[in-house]
Amino acid sequence: MTSPENTTPPADRPPPATDATEAFDAAERDMWQGRTEAYAGSFARLCAHPVGALLDAAGVGEGTRVLDVGTGTGTAAVAARARGARVSAVDADAGMVAAARARGLDARTGVLPELPYGDGEFDAVVGNFVVNHVGRPRAALAELHRLLRPGGRIALTTWSARRGAGQDLLGRACEAGGAVPPAYLPRLDPAQDWTRTADGLAELLGGAGFVGAEAVELTWDHRAGVEEWWSAAAGGVATIGLIVTSQDPGTVVRIRREYERLSAEHTVSEGQLALPHIALLGSGRRP
């Protein structure tokens, strides 16, 4: 990860902010490569929770031409298809695209903020936990604005700055186990960041030209098995997975031991956890 400097960069180099953004995007691509199966067996169920509300906010129904951006294994796209929508799906990771295609979806590989679709091609665009994984969120929203017809709706979910106790379980285990985060973790350029609140997400959408932009906070208890939840980190999924898999074997053993200890706070039955989570759901309309 490169850092901004107080000197003028050479002419053949982009400015430091661009370097940081490119590094973030590259780290995100690397983070998900080859982890489709590990994601499908763990965090995919977590991220499925807001899908119904996401589709409602975008007005997805019979005959809607909808694009699911960052489709992952296709959860939101499959749900939209079940409503009778005409669904297209796109993801930056080829493994995720293959998994979505295996579910019968029209899925393509594409990386925000440049997607392989025409102007005004869709009635609705949805992105389930996508805007938090792009280095240029405002440019990404401008691209999604381009893809919508006039009057078309957008709906997005992302994680909130306010966190549920379940969201910190693995992180607490890493800290207690003595993990040292690797230097290559994705870090968003501060100049590209935005306030991770309902008001902040509504402002982000409004700044991209969407009207009637609004956002709400979603809270829920995610039910997961002790082994299922650990498998995400052990499989290298997301930032927490990068932290766990970058440690030496002894540290991983200590993290696992701390995870088992801390899991008792969330145990609701033998081997089962209830993990409080908080996310944001934002929506708006292209004029």
Coordinates of all heavy atoms in Angstrom, one line a residue, residues 117-175:
Y117 N -22.3 -2.5 -19.8 CA -23.7 -2.4 -20.1 C -24.0 -1.0 -20.7 O -23.2 0.0 -20.5 CB -24.6 -2.6 -18.9 CG -24.4 -3.9 -18.3 CD1 -23.6 -4.1 -17.1 CD2 -25.0 -5.1 -18.8 CE1 -23.4 -5.3 -16.6 CE2 -24.8 -6.3 -18.2 CZ -24.0 -6.4 -17.1 OH -23.8 -7.7 -16.5
G118 N -25.1 -0.8 -21.4 CA -25.4 0.4 -22.1 C -26.1 1.4 -21.2 O -26.6 1.1 -20.2
D119 N -26.1 2.7 -21.7 CA -26.8 3.7 -21.0 C -28.3 3.4 -20.8 O -28.9 3.0 -21.8 CB -26.6 5.1 -21.7 CG -25.2 5.6 -21.8 OD1 -24.3 4.9 -21.2 OD2 -25.0 6.6 -22.4
G120 N -28.8 3.6 -19.6 CA -30.2 3.5 -19.4 C -30.8 2.1 -19.6 O -32.0 2.0 -19.9
E121 N -30.0 1.1 -19.5 CA -30.4 -0.3 -19.8 C -31.3 -0.9 -18.8 O -32.0 -1.9 -19.1 CB -29.1 -1.1 -20.0 CG -29.4 -2.5 -20.6 CD -28.1 -3.2 -21.1 OE1 -27.1 -2.5 -21.3 OE2 -28.1 -4.4 -21.1
F122 N -31.3 -0.4 -17.6 CA -32.0 -1.1 -16.5 C -33.1 -0.2 -15.8 O -32.9 1.0 -15.7 CB -31.0 -1.6 -15.5 CG -30.0 -2.5 -16.0 CD1 -28.8 -2.1 -16.4 CD2 -30.4 -3.9 -16.2 CE1 -27.8 -3.0 -16.9 CE2 -29.5 -4.8 -16.7 CZ -28.2 -4.4 -17.1
D123 N -34.1 -0.9 -15.3 CA -35.1 -0.2 -14.5 C -34.7 -0.1 -13.1 O -35.1 0.8 -12.3 CB -36.4 -1.0 -14.5 CG -37.0 -1.2 -15.9 OD1 -37.0 -0.3 -16.7 OD2 -37.3 -2.4 -16.2
A124 N -33.8 -1.0 -12.6 CA -33.4 -1.0 -11.3 C -31.9 -1.5 -11.2 O -31.6 -2.4 -12.0 CB -34.3 -1.9 -10.4
V125 N -31.2 -1.0 -10.3 CA -29.8 -1.5 -10.0 C -29.8 -1.8 -8.5 O -30.2 -0.9 -7.7 CB -28.7 -0.5 -10.4 CG1 -27.4 -1.0 -9.9 CG2 -28.7 -0.4 -11.9
V126 N -29.3 -3.0 -8.1 CA -29.1 -3.3 -6.7 C -27.6 -3.7 -6.5 O -27.0 -4.3 -7.3 CB -30.0 -4.4 -6.2 CG1 -31.5 -3.9 -6.3 CG2 -29.8 -5.7 -7.0
G127 N -27.1 -3.3 -5.3 CA -25.8 -3.7 -4.9 C -25.7 -4.1 -3.5 O -25.9 -3.2 -2.6
N128 N -25.6 -5.4 -3.2 CA -25.7 -5.9 -1.8 C -24.2 -6.0 -1.2 O -23.5 -6.8 -1.6 CB -26.3 -7.2 -1.8 CG -26.8 -7.7 -0.4 OD1 -27.1 -6.8 0.4 ND2 -26.8 -9.0 -0.1
F129 N -23.9 -5.0 -0.3 CA -22.5 -4.9 0.3 C -21.5 -4.9 -0.8 O -20.6 -5.7 -0.9 CB -22.3 -6.1 1.2 CG -23.3 -6.1 2.3 CD1 -24.3 -7.1 2.4 CD2 -23.2 -5.2 3.4 CE1 -25.2 -7.1 3.4 CE2 -24.1 -5.2 4.4 CZ -25.2 -6.2 4.4
V130 N -21.6 -3.9 -1.7 CA -20.7 -3.7 -2.8 C -19.9 -2.3 -2.6 O -18.7 -2.3 -2.8 CB -21.4 -3.7 -4.1 CG1 -20.5 -3.3 -5.3 CG2 -22.0 -5.1 -4.4
V131 N -20.6 -1.3 -2.3 CA -20.0 0.1 -2.3 C -18.9 0.1 -1.3 O -17.9 0.9 -1.4 CB -21.1 1.2 -2.0 CG1 -21.6 1.1 -0.5 CG2 -20.5 2.5 -2.3
N132 N -18.9 -0.7 -0.3 CA -17.8 -0.8 0.7 C -16.5 -1.5 0.2 O -15.5 -1.5 0.8 CB -18.2 -1.5 2.0 CG -19.0 -2.7 1.8 OD1 -20.0 -2.7 1.2 ND2 -18.5 -3.8 2.3
H133 N -16.6 -2.1 -1.0 CA -15.5 -2.8 -1.6 C -14.9 -2.1 -2.8 O -14.1 -2.7 -3.6 CB -15.9 -4.2 -2.0 CG -16.2 -5.1 -0.8 ND1 -15.2 -5.4 0.1 CD2 -17.4 -5.7 -0.4 CE1 -15.8 -6.2 1.0 NE2 -17.1 -6.4 0.8
V134 N -15.2 -0.8 -3.1 CA -14.7 -0.1 -4.3 C -13.9 1.1 -3.8 O -14.2 1.7 -2.8 CB -15.8 0.3 -5.2 CG1 -16.5 -0.9 -5.8 CG2 -16.8 1.3 -4.5
G135 N -12.8 1.3 -4.5 CA -11.9 2.4 -4.1 C -12.4 3.8 -4.5 O -11.9 4.8 -3.9
R136 N -13.3 3.9 -5.4 CA -13.9 5.2 -5.8 C -15.4 5.1 -5.7 O -16.1 4.9 -6.7 CB -13.5 5.5 -7.2 CG -12.0 5.9 -7.3 CD -11.6 6.4 -8.7 NE -11.7 5.3 -9.7 CZ -11.7 5.5 -11.0 NH1 -11.8 6.7 -11.5 NH2 -11.7 4.5 -11.9
P137 N -16.0 5.1 -4.5 CA -17.4 5.0 -4.4 C -18.3 6.0 -5.2 O -19.3 5.6 -5.7 CB -17.7 5.1 -2.9 CG -16.4 5.7 -2.3 CD -15.3 5.4 -3.2
R138 N -17.8 7.2 -5.3 CA -18.6 8.2 -6.0 C -18.6 8.0 -7.5 O -19.6 8.1 -8.2 CB -18.1 9.6 -5.7 CG -18.3 10.0 -4.2 CD -17.6 11.3 -3.8 NE -17.8 11.6 -2.4 CZ -17.1 11.0 -1.4 NH1 -16.1 10.1 -1.7 NH2 -17.3 11.3 -0.1
A139 N -17.4 7.6 -8.0 CA -17.4 7.2 -9.4 C -18.2 5.9 -9.7 O -18.9 5.8 -10.7 CB -15.9 6.9 -9.8
A140 N -18.2 5.0 -8.7 CA -19.1 3.8 -8.9 C -20.5 4.2 -9.0 O -21.3 3.6 -9.8 CB -18.8 2.9 -7.7
L141 N -21.0 5.1 -8.1 CA -22.4 5.5 -8.1 C -22.7 6.2 -9.4 O -23.8 6.1 -9.9 CB -22.7 6.3 -6.9 CG -22.7 5.5 -5.6 CD1 -23.2 6.4 -4.5 CD2 -23.6 4.3 -5.7
A142 N -21.8 7.0 -9.9 CA -22.0 7.7 -11.2 C -22.2 6.7 -12.3 O -23.0 6.9 -13.2 CB -20.8 8.6 -11.5
E143 N -21.5 5.6 -12.3 CA -21.6 4.6 -13.3 C -23.0 3.9 -13.2 O -23.7 3.6 -14.2 CB -20.5 3.5 -13.2 CG -20.6 2.3 -14.1 CD -20.4 2.6 -15.5 OE1 -20.4 3.8 -15.9 OE2 -20.2 1.7 -16.3
L144 N -23.4 3.6 -12.0 CA -24.7 3.0 -11.8 C -25.9 4.0 -12.2 O -26.9 3.5 -12.7 CB -24.9 2.6 -10.3 CG -23.8 1.6 -9.8 CD1 -24.1 1.1 -8.4 CD2 -23.7 0.4 -10.7
H145 N -25.7 5.2 -12.0 CA -26.6 6.3 -12.4 C -26.7 6.2 -14.0 O -27.8 6.2 -14.5 CB -26.1 7.6 -12.0 CG -27.1 8.8 -12.2 ND1 -27.2 9.4 -13.5 CD2 -27.9 9.4 -11.4 CE1 -28.1 10.3 -13.4 NE2 -28.5 10.4 -12.1
R146 N -25.6 6.0 -14.6 CA -25.6 5.9 -16.1 C -26.4 4.7 -16.6 O -27.1 4.8 -17.6 CB -24.2 5.8 -16.6 CG -24.0 5.6 -18.1 CD -22.6 5.4 -18.5 NE -22.1 4.0 -18.2 CZ -22.4 2.9 -18.9 NH1 -23.1 3.0 -20.0 NH2 -21.9 1.8 -18.5
L147 N -26.4 3.6 -15.9 CA -27.0 2.4 -16.3 C -28.5 2.4 -16.2 O -29.2 1.6 -16.8 CB -26.4 1.2 -15.6 CG -24.9 1.0 -15.7 CD1 -24.5 -0.2 -14.9 CD2 -24.5 0.8 -17.2
L148 N -29.0 3.3 -15.3 CA -30.5 3.4 -15.1 C -31.2 4.2 -16.1 O -30.7 5.3 -16.5 CB -30.7 4.0 -13.7 CG -30.5 3.0 -12.5 CD1 -30.6 3.8 -11.2 CD2 -31.6 1.9 -12.5
R149 N -32.4 3.8 -16.5 CA -33.3 4.7 -17.3 C -33.8 5.8 -16.4 O -33.8 5.7 -15.2 CB -34.5 3.9 -17.8 CG -35.4 3.3 -16.7 CD -36.7 2.9 -17.2 NE -37.5 2.3 -16.1 CZ -38.2 3.0 -15.3 NH1 -38.2 4.3 -15.2 NH2 -39.0 2.4 -14.3
P150 N -34.2 6.9 -17.0 CA -34.9 8.0 -16.2 C -36.0 7.4 -15.4 O -36.9 6.7 -15.9 CB -35.4 9.0 -17.3 CG -34.4 8.8 -18.4 CD -34.1 7.3 -18.4
G151 N -36.0 7.7 -14.1 CA -37.0 7.1 -13.2 C -36.7 5.8 -12.6 O -37.4 5.3 -11.7
G152 N -35.6 5.2 -13.1 CA -35.1 3.9 -12.5 C -34.6 4.1 -11.1 O -34.2 5.2 -10.7
R153 N -34.6 3.0 -10.3 CA -34.3 3.1 -8.9 C -33.0 2.3 -8.6 O -32.7 1.3 -9.3 CB -35.4 2.5 -8.1 CG -36.7 3.4 -8.1 CD -37.6 3.0 -7.0 NE -37.0 3.1 -5.7 CZ -36.9 4.3 -5.0 NH1 -37.4 5.4 -5.6 NH2 -36.4 4.4 -3.8
I154 N -32.3 2.8 -7.6 CA -31.1 2.1 -7.1 C -31.3 1.8 -5.6 O -32.0 2.5 -4.9 CB -29.9 3.0 -7.3 CG1 -28.6 2.3 -6.9 CG2 -30.0 4.3 -6.5 CD1 -27.3 3.0 -7.2
A155 N -30.8 0.7 -5.2 CA -30.8 0.3 -3.8 C -29.4 -0.3 -3.4 O -29.0 -1.2 -4.2 CB -31.9 -0.6 -3.4
L156 N -28.8 0.1 -2.3 CA -27.5 -0.4 -1.9 C -27.5 -0.8 -0.4 O -28.2 -0.1 0.4 CB -26.5 0.6 -2.1 CG -26.3 1.2 -3.5 CD1 -25.3 2.4 -3.5 CD2 -25.7 0.1 -4.5
T157 N -26.8 -1.8 -0.1 CA -26.5 -2.1 1.3 C -25.0 -1.9 1.6 O -24.2 -2.1 0.7 CB -27.0 -3.5 1.8 OG1 -26.4 -4.4 0.9 CG2 -28.5 -3.6 1.8
T158 N -24.7 -1.6 2.8 CA -23.3 -1.5 3.2 C -23.2 -1.6 4.7 O -24.2 -1.5 5.4 CB -22.6 -0.2 2.7 OG1 -21.2 -0.3 3.0 CG2 -23.2 1.0 3.4
W159 N -22.1 -1.9 5.3 CA -21.9 -1.9 6.7 C -21.9 -0.6 7.3 O -21.4 0.4 6.7 CB -20.7 -2.7 7.1 CG -20.8 -4.1 6.6 CD1 -20.0 -4.7 5.6 CD2 -21.7 -5.2 7.0 NE1 -20.4 -6.0 5.4 CE2 -21.4 -6.3 6.2 CE3 -22.7 -5.2 7.9 CZ2 -22.1 -7.5 6.4 CZ3 -23.5 -6.4 8.1 CH2 -23.2 -7.5 7.3
S160 N -22.4 -0.4 8.5 CA -22.5 0.8 9.2 C -21.3 1.0 10.1 O -20.7 0.1 10.5 CB -23.8 0.8 10.1 OG -23.9 2.0 10.9
A161 N -21.1 2.3 10.4 CA -20.0 2.6 11.4 C -20.4 2.1 12.8 O -19.6 1.7 13.6 CB -19.8 4.1 11.5
R162 N -21.7 2.1 13.0 CA -22.2 1.5 14.3 C -22.3 0.0 14.1 O -22.9 -0.5 13.2 CB -23.6 2.1 14.6 CG -24.0 1.9 16.1 CD -25.3 2.7 16.4 NE -26.5 2.0 15.9 CZ -27.2 1.1 16.5 NH1 -26.8 0.8 17.7 NH2 -28.3 0.6 16.0
R163 N -21.6 -0.7 15.0 CA -21.5 -2.2 14.8 C -22.2 -2.9 15.9 O -22.2 -2.5 17.0 CB -20.0 -2.5 14.8 CG -19.2 -1.9 13.7 CD -17.7 -2.1 13.9 NE -17.3 -3.5 13.9 CZ -17.2 -4.2 12.8 NH1 -17.3 -3.7 11.6 NH2 -16.8 -5.5 12.8
G164 N -22.7 -4.1 15.4 CA -23.3 -5.0 16.4 C -22.2 -5.8 17.0 O -21.1 -6.0 16.5
A165 N -22.5 -6.4 18.2 CA -21.5 -7.1 19.0 C -21.0 -8.3 18.2 O -19.8 -8.7 18.3 CB -22.0 -7.5 20.3
G166 N -21.9 -8.9 17.4 CA -21.4 -10.1 16.6 C -20.4 -9.8 15.5 O -19.6 -10.6 15.1
Q167 N -20.4 -8.5 15.0 CA -19.5 -8.2 14.0 C -18.1 -8.1 14.5 O -17.1 -8.2 13.7 CB -19.9 -6.8 13.4 CG -21.2 -6.9 12.6 CD -21.7 -5.5 12.2 OE1 -22.5 -5.0 12.9 NE2 -21.2 -4.9 11.1
D168 N -17.9 -8.0 15.8 CA -16.6 -7.8 16.4 C -16.0 -9.1 17.0 O -14.9 -9.1 17.5 CB -16.6 -6.7 17.4 CG -16.8 -5.3 16.8 OD1 -16.3 -5.1 15.7 OD2 -17.4 -4.5 17.5
L169 N -16.8 -10.2 16.9 CA -16.3 -11.4 17.6 C -15.0 -11.9 17.0 O -14.0 -12.1 17.8 CB -17.4 -12.5 17.4 CG -17.0 -13.9 17.9 CD1 -16.6 -13.9 19.3 CD2 -18.1 -14.9 17.6
L170 N -14.9 -12.0 15.7 CA -13.6 -12.5 15.2 C -12.5 -11.5 15.4 O -11.3 -11.9 15.6 CB -13.8 -12.8 13.7 CG -14.7 -14.1 13.4 CD1 -15.1 -14.1 11.9 CD2 -13.9 -15.4 13.7
G171 N -12.8 -10.2 15.2 CA -11.7 -9.2 15.5 C -11.2 -9.2 16.9 O -10.0 -9.1 17.1
R172 N -12.1 -9.4 17.8 CA -11.7 -9.5 19.2 C -10.8 -10.7 19.5 O -9.9 -10.6 20.2 CB -12.9 -9.5 20.2 CG -13.7 -8.2 20.2 CD -15.0 -8.5 21.0 NE -14.8 -8.9 22.4 CZ -15.6 -9.5 23.1 NH1 -16.8 -9.9 22.6 NH2 -15.3 -9.8 24.4
A173 N -11.2 -11.8 18.8 CA -10.4 -13.0 19.0 C -9.0 -12.8 18.4 O -8.0 -13.3 19.0 CB -11.1 -14.2 18.3
C174 N -8.9 -12.1 17.3 CA -7.6 -11.8 16.7 C -6.7 -10.9 17.6 O -5.6 -11.2 17.9 CB -7.8 -11.1 15.4 SG -8.3 -12.2 14.0
E175 N -7.4 -9.9 18.2 CA -6.6 -9.0 19.1 C -6.2 -9.8 20.3 O -5.0 -9.7 20.8 CB -7.5 -7.9 19.5 CG -6.9 -6.8 20.4 CD -7.7 -5.6 20.7 OE1 -8.9 -5.6 20.2 OE2 -7.3 -4.7 21.4

